[in-house]
Amino acid sequence: MNGAQALLKTLADAGIEVCFTNPGTSEMHFVAALDSEPRMRAVLALFEGVATGAADGYARMADKPAATLLHLGCGLGNGLANLHNARKGKVPVVNIVGDHATYHTQYDAQLQSDIETVARNVSPGFVRTAQRTATLGQDAVDAIAAARGLPGQVATLVLPADVSWGEGGQPCPPPAPPTPTAASDEAVQAIAQAIRAGEKTIVLLGGHALREGALRSAARIAAHSGVQLLAEVFPTRMERGAGLPAVERVAYLAELAGVQLAGARHLVLVDAKSPVSFFAYPGKASDLVPTGCTVHTLCSPAQDAAASLDKLAAALGASATQPPLALAQRPGRPRGPLTAPKVCKAVGHLLPENAILIDEAITSGLMLGVMTAGCPRHDLITLTGGAIGQGLPNAVGAAIACPNRPVIALIGDGTAMYTLQALWSMARENLHVVSVIFNNASYSVLNVELERVGAEKAGPKAKSQLDLKGPVLNFAQLAQGMGVHAVRASTAEDFCQALEYALAHPGPHLIEALVPESLAGAKRKVLPWLLKSLPSLPAPVARALKRKIAP
Ligand SMILES: Cc1ncc(C[n+]2csc(CCOP(=O)(O)OP(=O)(O)O)c2C)c(N)n1
Ligand SMILES: [Mg+2]
C-alpha cells in the first residue's frame, strides 16, 4: 500500500466519504488512489474556492467533515476565502494540500511556496506537513481529530508527493469522537440568579444553539422567565420554520443591532461570541454590548449547547414550560414587475418541506427572514465569515450531504461571480439545487456603505467601482454554458412559474431574477440619517423603524 492509499483508507474508516478536489501533478498519486477506496466519493471543482466552500457546506449539513484536495500554496490560496468562512463558522474540514516531494523543495521550482504560512490563517489549530509514508496514517488521524474537535475547525494536512507515492503506508483506526460537556453548575447558577433578578436579559444563541433541541430549551426559558432570545448575525446553520421557536437574528447594521440590544442589563452567551460591529465606522462603537450590561457565558463553542440550556431550564424550573412556536403560514403569491422582496415572497410562498436555504443575497435578502418564518421546517445557512462567494459552493456540498432535500441558494450577482464555477459541479453531479441570482447590476451594499462611512462626495471613478452595468451580466447564459438549466425572470409571475418548475424537476436549475436595487435612490440617501437618529429616538419608535428597514 502506498501513502495515498493508506491515507484514503484512514479517511474512509473515520467516516469521511467525500473529497472535493482540484488536483495538480503533485496530487496524482492521491488521485490514482481514489479508485482503490470505493467508500470515497470524489467531486471535482473547477476552482479551489468551490472545493473549499463545498466542503464547508457539506459539513454544515452532514455534521461531519469532508476532505479537500488542493494543489500547493497557490491552490490553497485560491481556496482561502471559503476556508475562512468555515473557520468562522467552526465547521470541520480536513484540508489536504499536495506539495512537492520533500527533496524537491530545495530547488525552489515554479510552484514552490510557503504552504504552512498560508494555511495558518485558516487552520491555526492544526497545520502539519507529513514527513514519512509510514506515519501518514497517523497524521491523517490527528488531522481528523483536530477537525472534529471541540469546536470544529479546518485542519490542514500538507502532503508531499513522495510521502504520497512511497510504499509502506499504514492505515490507522479512527479517532474517538469528542464528547462535549454541559455548562458548569457555577455558570448555570450564576446565570439563573441573574435571570431571576428580573432585569432585562438577552440570551444570544449561536453555533449549535440554533439547532432544534437547543432552540426548544431556550424558548422554554424565554417563555418561563421573560428573557429575550436573539440569534447571532450570521448562523452556520439555523433550524427554523413552522413548529419551531422563532428567534430573531442580530441585525447586520450595527445601529439596528444597537436597537435590539438596547436596555439589556445581562447578555447570556450560548455558543456565541459577544456581538461586535461588522466594520468600524468613524465615531461609532465597535463593541455592541450596551454600557452597564454584564456579559455571562453559559457555554462556549467547545461545550454542549443543548445540554447547557437544559440545565439552565431545569435550574429555573422551566423544563415543562410550553414555548410559543412559529405558526404555519406563508405569504401570498407575488404579482407584477419583479423586485427582490417579491423574490423573497415567492420563496416563502413555495418553499418545500425540509429545504436547505442558503442566504447570500446581500441587500436583496432583507425580507427573506420574515417571508420564510412560517414556512415548513428548513435549515438556513449564512455567510459566517463575510467573505462572499460562499453560497454556490455551499449549495454543492449541502446537496451532496443531503441528497433527498431541495437546496435553494439565493445569491447576489456580484457575489455569484466569485465562485460561479460551482454551477458546473452541480451539473456534473446532477444536484437538486435551485440557484436564484439577484441581478441588480450593482455591488449595491457597497453603495450603501459608501453613504454610511461618511466618505466625501463620491465621484464617477468611485461609483464605477461599485456598479456592474456594462457589460451587464447574463447569468442564464453563463449557467447554460456550464450545463445548468436556466431562465431569466423579470415579473413575479414568471419567477414563481420558474421556481415551481425547478422544484418539481430534480437536478440543477438557475433562475436569474432581474431586479432593481432594494436600497437605491431616496431610500439609500436617507438610510444613514435614519440610522444615525436611532439612538436618540424613543425605544418603541426605534424598534418600529428597525422592523421597517430590516424585519
Ligand atoms: C472575499 C470578499 N471580497 C469582497 C468583499 C466586499 N463585498 C461585500 S458585499 C460585496 C458586493 C456584493 O454585491 P452583490 O452580491 O451584487 O449584492 P448586492 O450588494 O447587490 O445586494 C463586496 C464586493 C467581501 N465581503 N468578501
Ligand atoms: Mg448586486
Side-chain angles (χ1 to χ4, degrees), residues 61 237 239-240 351-357 375-379 402 404-407:
M61 294 313 303
R237 173 179 168 188
E239 296 189 335
R240 62 195 297 274
L351 193 77
E353 191 75 46
N354 219 14
I356 299 167
L357 197 53
C375 281
R377 277 186 61 142
H378 57 277
D379 283 273
C402 305
N404 300 317
R405 299 180 62 177
V407 179

Side-chain angles (χ1 to χ4, degrees), residues 29 64 115 138 172 209 233 238 266 271 313 380 407 483 495 499:
H29 285 83
K64 64 176 186 176
I115 300 174
Q138 188 56 49
C172 289
V233 57
M238 181 172 181
H266 298 279
D271 193 350
L380 175 71
V407 179
F495 183 85
L499 185 54

Side-chain angles (χ1 to χ4, degrees), residues 274-351:
S274 189
V276 294
S277 171
F278 210 86
F279 292 106
Y281 298 92
K284 289 180 191 157
S286 292
D287 187 349
L288 295 178
V289 178
T291 39
C293 175
T294 308
V295 179
H296 310 259
T297 299
L298 177 65
C299 62
S300 77
Q303 291 176 291
D304 185 330
S308 301
L309 285 161
D310 277 345
K311 230 171 136 172
L312 181 60
L316 290 163
S319 301
T321 303
Q322 294 293 325
L325 304 173
L327 298 174
Q329 54 190 11
R330 291 172 179 275
R333 202 177 171 93
R335 309 199 182 279
L338 197 57
T339 62
K342 284 188 202 173
V343 171
C344 296
K345 192 173 181 188
V347 170
H349 186 67
L350 295 170
L351 193 77

Side-chain angles (χ1 to χ4, degrees), residues 2-69:
N2 68 21
Q5 289 163 338
L7 171 57
L8 278 161
K9 182 165 179 355
T10 303
L11 292 170
D13 285 347
I16 297 180
E17 307 173 302
V18 187
C19 183
F20 296 99
T21 80
N22 187 267
T25 304
S26 38
E27 294 78 48
M28 280 304 119
H29 285 83
F30 186 109
V31 170
L34 285 167
D35 284 293
S36 72
E37 183 43 81
R39 292 171 296 173
M40 182 64 76
R41 178 172 177 179
V43 177
L44 176 61
L46 301 187
F47 175 65
E48 292 86 347
V50 174
T52 55
D56 174 33
Y58 175 91
R60 292 189 196 207
M61 294 313 303
D63 275 329
K64 64 176 186 176
T68 61
L69 181 66

Side-chain angles (χ1 to χ4, degrees), residues 224-260:
H224 178 274
S225 306
V227 304
Q228 190 194 331
L229 303 179
L230 281 177
E232 66 189 342
V233 57
F234 286 128
T236 301
R237 173 179 168 188
M238 181 172 181
E239 296 189 335
R240 62 195 297 274
L244 288 178
V247 180
E248 188 178 312
R249 280 161 60 189
V250 171
Y252 162 77
L253 295 170
E255 296 90 334
L256 301 183
V259 173
Q260 293 170 299

